[in-house]
Amino acid sequence: SMDVIKQEIVVRKDLGMGTGKIAAKVGHACVLGAEHVRKSKREWFDQWERYGQEKVVVKVSSLSELDRVKRDAISHDLPWSEVTDAGHTQIEPGTVTCISIGPAPEEMIDKVTKDLKLL
C-alpha cells in the first residue's frame, strides 16, 4: 500500500505572534518545505501533490523545544526547512518562528511530532 505523505508545520507559540502573522509564517513554511522536497525527494513530493497535499500544524512553547524537534527530524533523515522573521514588526530579526517537516511519509513524521498538540 502507498504511504500517506504529509507535511507538518511546527510553530513557536512563545513569540506573541498574532493570528495573521502565524498564518503568513505557516504559509511560508509550507512553500519552502514543499520546494525543498520537490528538489530532494521528488517521489514524495509528487505523491503528496497528487493526493491532497495534507498539512498539519502543531505547536511548541519555546525555541529549545523547536530545536529538539528539528534535531529529531534530522536524526530520522526527514527533510526540514525553517522560517526566520525579517524583524519588520514586533520580533527580533533572524528569530526562527516555525519549521516545516516533510512532505514525507506520515509514519516517519509521527515518530518526531507525536507528542505535539495541534495549533
Side-chain angles (χ1 to χ4, degrees):
S1 72
M2 258 187 346
D3 287 333
V4 171
I5 307 291
K6 72 176 176 182
Q7 181 179 36
E8 201 148 312
I9 310 300
V10 185
V11 180
R12 280 178 67 184
K13 281 293 285 173
D14 60 311
L15 295 170
M17 292 186 285
T19 307
K21 181 150 188 131
I22 289 172
K25 295 298 169 190
V26 168
H28 192 170
C30 287
V31 172
L32 277 179
E35 187 60 15
H36 171 55
V37 172
R38 189 179 67 80
K39 291 176 182 155
S40 62
K41 218 38 176 142
R42 189 61 192 248
E43 62 276 19
W44 288 355
F45 177 86
D46 286 346
Q47 193 180 314
W48 176 76
E49 191 179 48
R50 195 173 299 119
Y51 295 99
Q53 303 177 23
E54 183 184 348
K55 302 168 196 73
V56 177
V57 184
V58 296
K59 60 188 175 182
V60 293
S61 55
S62 66
L63 179 61
S64 61
E65 203 179 346
L66 191 71
D67 281 338
R68 181 193 61 73
V69 173
K70 184 166 78 178
R71 284 196 304 273
D72 278 358
I74 292 166
S75 72
H76 285 86
D77 280 328
L78 282 161
W80 62 278
S81 301
E82 73 183 10
V83 175
T84 55
D85 196 82
H88 296 309
T89 51
Q90 65 275 62
I91 300 173
E92 280 298 298
T95 303
V96 180
T97 53
C98 58
I99 64 173
S100 165
I101 304 173
E106 183 168 54
E107 68 276 5
M108 288 178 68
I109 292 181
D110 287 348
K111 289 189 174 103
V112 173
T113 62
K114 63 182 178 302
D115 296 330
L116 300 179
K117 301 236 180 328
L118 292 172
L119 178 66

